[in-house]
Structure formats: C-alpha cells, structure tokens
C-alpha cells in the first residue's frame, strides 16, 4: 500500500516525522497508549501493535513458560487472557497474565494483573509492563517487544531480575511478528501539517491570481501573487547567508570590517 506521505509530501513528511519521533524517544516517555484489549498505538504515527493473535483463549494453559536462572522458578505469560482456572483455587495469579511459579512448592506470585498494563518506549525499544502484588511484594514484569517479521513461532525469554522486596522487577523479551507495528491507515501528524501547507499554498496562489486579475487588471506573468517578492527571494537568501558568513568569520579574524568600525 502506498501511503499519503510517500506520494505527495515525502520531504515534509520525513522531516516532520523525524523531528516528532526523535522527541518521543526519551527513556520513560509514554510513547504510546493502550487503545483496546491487547492493542497499543504509538503517539507519533498511526501504527499499532496488536498482540491478540498471541492470546490463549482457554484460560488454562499459559501461552509461554520459561525457566529462570534459579532452577526452582519458572515464568508464565499469556498476553490478553487471565488464567481463569487459577482463580477458583484462590491463586495469586488468578487475575494475572504474568506469573512466577515456584515449581517444587507449587507457589504462585503475581507478576501482572490484567488489563492494567502500560505501553512505553525505552529508547527505541517498546516495553509492555504489568504489575501485581503477592504477600505485600509488588512485582513488575517488563516485556520488551521485539519485532521479527521472519519468526514463525513467537519466543519468550527471561532476561533478568532487579530490585528487592517489596519491589521486584522481572525483565523478559517477546520476539514475534505480532510485535511489529502495523499501520492502521489514517493520517499522521506530519501528513496533516503537509495537507495544511498544500491547502494554504493553493488558496494563496488562486486568491492571489484572482486578486491580481480582477482587482488590479493584471495579465500574463503579472498574475503571479507577490511576484516582486518571490523574484527577489533567491538574492535575499543569498545575502542572508553572506551576512551570516561574514559575522561568523568576523568572530575569528581580527581585521574584519566590523572591528574596523
Ligand atoms: C511508529 O513509531 C514507533 C515508535 O517511534 C516505531 O517503533 C514504529 O516503527 C513507527 N512505525 C512506522 C510505520 O513508522
Ligand atoms: C506496583 O508498583 C508500581 C510502581 O510503583 C505501581 O505503578 C503499581 O500500581 C503497583 N502495583 C500494585 C499491584 O500494587
């Protein structure tokens, strides 16, 4: 699909898009928001990440499970669908989509209630975070979403544990094609500015020509609005650069004309 940006205003779209996205790259910036169940939209463009295809709808099997470095723990994650079956057992992970299990003792620790997840940028990475509380300890799971268009099967990996009770954070990576941002059409901020620019330009040209023709009785090249100004513009720009250049070199050389005055 060919987007508006690539057809009409590649340059304007690119420059505006770049300036906007650079400004949203700061660590901790929200960068996006949850727009529906397991659906997240970026602030600066019309793309979403939709994890719904990764949901396991039976509520009894965790979609992902991975062992931690301490052999007795494993980490369970099921995007979009809490593990209903655990609820009846008054299990800490009853409303959770992320859970830590102590295998031998069969103890569960909630790593993330649903649907209270946060969708954030950490540098250029997209991070989904959940939190839950078990036994007075607040456990947060941070899942970095890695877009991999070529992966047939999604992979969930354990990265590290940081912090101590009562605040512990567990970091994971989810690599999948579902983690890739998908365009939902519509217009980005850059495109809207671009449209405004084009509309203003057209109105200016049409109104200018009409005014010159009917109010001033102009013909031919005289119809161009503010013709004298536009004709002079290149030399005005050139003079501007020359002036700036002279100023800058004046800062470095002692015998510039400004020092002599
Ligand atoms: C939209 O913005 C996000 C965050 O800056 C970026 O990761 C994603 O690739 C962008 N999508 C497109 C299509 O540019
Ligand atoms: C856990 O702590 C984080 C950060 O302070 C907070 O945002 C979150 O609401 C807490 N979660 C629970 C379940 O208490």
């Amino acid at each position: 699909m060919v987007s508006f940006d690539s057809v009409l205003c590649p340059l304007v779209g690119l420059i505006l898009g770049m300036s906007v996205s650079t400004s949203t790259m700061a660590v901790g910036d929200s960068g996006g928001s949850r727009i529906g169940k397991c659906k997240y939209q970026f602030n600066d463009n019309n793309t979403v990440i939709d994890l719904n295809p990764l949901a396991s709808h039976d509520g009894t099997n965790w979609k992902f499970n991975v062992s931690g470095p301490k052999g007795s723990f494993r980490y369970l994650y099921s995007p979009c669908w809490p593990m209903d079956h655990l609820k009846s057992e008054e299990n800490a992970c009853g409303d959770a989509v992320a859970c830590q299990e102590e295998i031998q003792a069969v103890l569960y620790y909630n790593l993330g209630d649903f649907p209270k997840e946060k969708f954030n940028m950490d540098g250029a990475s997209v991070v989904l975070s959940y939190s839950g509380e078990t036994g007075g300890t607040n456990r947060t799971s941070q899942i970095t979403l890695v877009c991999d268009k070529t992966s047939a099967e999604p992979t969930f990996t354990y990265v590290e544990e940081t912090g101590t009770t009562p605040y512990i954070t567990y970091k994971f990576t989810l690599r999948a094609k579902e983690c890739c941002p998908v365009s939902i059409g519509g217009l980005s901020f850059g495109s809207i500015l671009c449209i405004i620019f084009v509309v203003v330009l057209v109105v200016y040209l049409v109104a200018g020509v009409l005014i010159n023709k009917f109010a001033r009785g102009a013909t031919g090249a005289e119809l161009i609005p503010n013709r004298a100004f536009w004709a002079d513009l290149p030399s005005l720009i050139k003079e501007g650069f020359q002036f700036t250049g002279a100023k800058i070199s004046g800062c470095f050389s002692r015998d510039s004309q400004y020092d002599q005055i």
Side-chain angles (χ1 to χ4, degrees):
M1 200 182 78
V2 184
S3 78
F4 178 82
D5 292 292
S6 63
V7 180
L8 193 52
C9 293
L11 201 59
V12 176
L14 187 68
I15 292 168
L16 290 169
M18 265 165 29
S19 58
V20 172
S21 54
T22 325
S23 66
T24 55
M25 282 303 173
V27 176
D29 254 7
S30 126
S33 52
R34 185 183 197 278
I35 55 165
K37 187 170 159 246
C38 256
K39 257 191 182 177
Y40 315 94
Q41 178 165 11
F42 291 100
N43 287 340
D44 57 335
N45 56 33
N46 278 301
T47 55
V48 297
I49 289 181
D50 183 356
L51 296 183
N52 280 291
L54 297 180
S56 88
H57 293 281
D58 62 5
T60 50
N61 291 307
W62 293 90
K63 178 83 178 170
F64 304 107
N65 78 69
V66 62
S67 298
K70 300 172 198 162
S72 54
F73 289 104
R74 61 181 190 138
Y75 298 87
L76 312 160
Y77 178 46
S78 249
C80 318
W81 204 270
M83 290 295 108
D84 312 297
H85 74 298
L86 295 171
K87 205 171 195 158
S88 56
E89 301 159 23
E90 292 188 333
N91 186 293
C93 291
D95 285 318
V97 290
C99 183
Q100 180 190 46
E101 181 186 3
E102 218 278 79
I103 301 165
Q104 249 100 63
V106 201
L107 291 172
Y108 294 95
Y109 302 91
N110 188 335
L111 298 190
D113 285 327
F114 187 76
K116 295 176 196 152
E117 73 275 27
K118 297 192 184 85
F119 180 73
N120 287 313
M121 297 301 295
D122 181 1
S125 305
V126 180
V127 179
L128 206 52
S129 41
Y130 305 84
S131 76
E133 207 200 303
T134 310
T137 294
N138 177 324
R139 294 178 181 79
T140 297
S141 48
Q142 289 182 354
I143 299 163
T144 301
L145 306 183
V146 180
C147 163
D148 185 350
K149 288 187 172 128
T150 61
S151 82
E153 279 297 310
T155 51
F156 183 63
T157 44
Y158 175 94
V159 180
E160 62 171 345
E161 171 185 332
T162 60
T164 48
T165 37
Y167 288 95
I168 308 179
T169 298
Y170 299 86
K171 296 184 179 172
F172 306 92
T173 303
L174 177 61
R175 175 183 289 273
K177 60 178 185 297
E178 287 79 5
C179 295
C180 299
V182 177
S183 176
I184 51 165
L187 296 171
S188 69
F189 180 66
S191 308
I192 291 167
L193 281 183
C194 179
I195 290 173
I196 293 172
F197 175 76
V198 170
V199 168
V200 168
L201 187 70
V202 168
V203 168
Y204 166 77
L205 287 174
V206 170
V209 167
L210 292 178
I211 288 170
N212 282 345
K213 187 172 165 77
F214 295 107
R216 307 205 176 113
T219 53
E222 309 250 281
L223 287 171
I224 298 170
N226 304 101
R227 184 161 170 263
F229 170 76
W230 294 116
D232 280 350
L233 194 61
S235 62
L236 286 174
I237 292 172
K238 198 174 147 206
E239 274 168 33
F241 274 108
Q242 279 168 347
F243 177 75
T244 313
K247 272 242 146 155
I248 291 167
S249 57
C251 294
F252 297 102
S253 73
R254 298 205 142 268
D255 51 10
S256 83
Q257 50 177 321
Y258 294 99
D259 285 342
Q260 283 159 15
I261 291 168

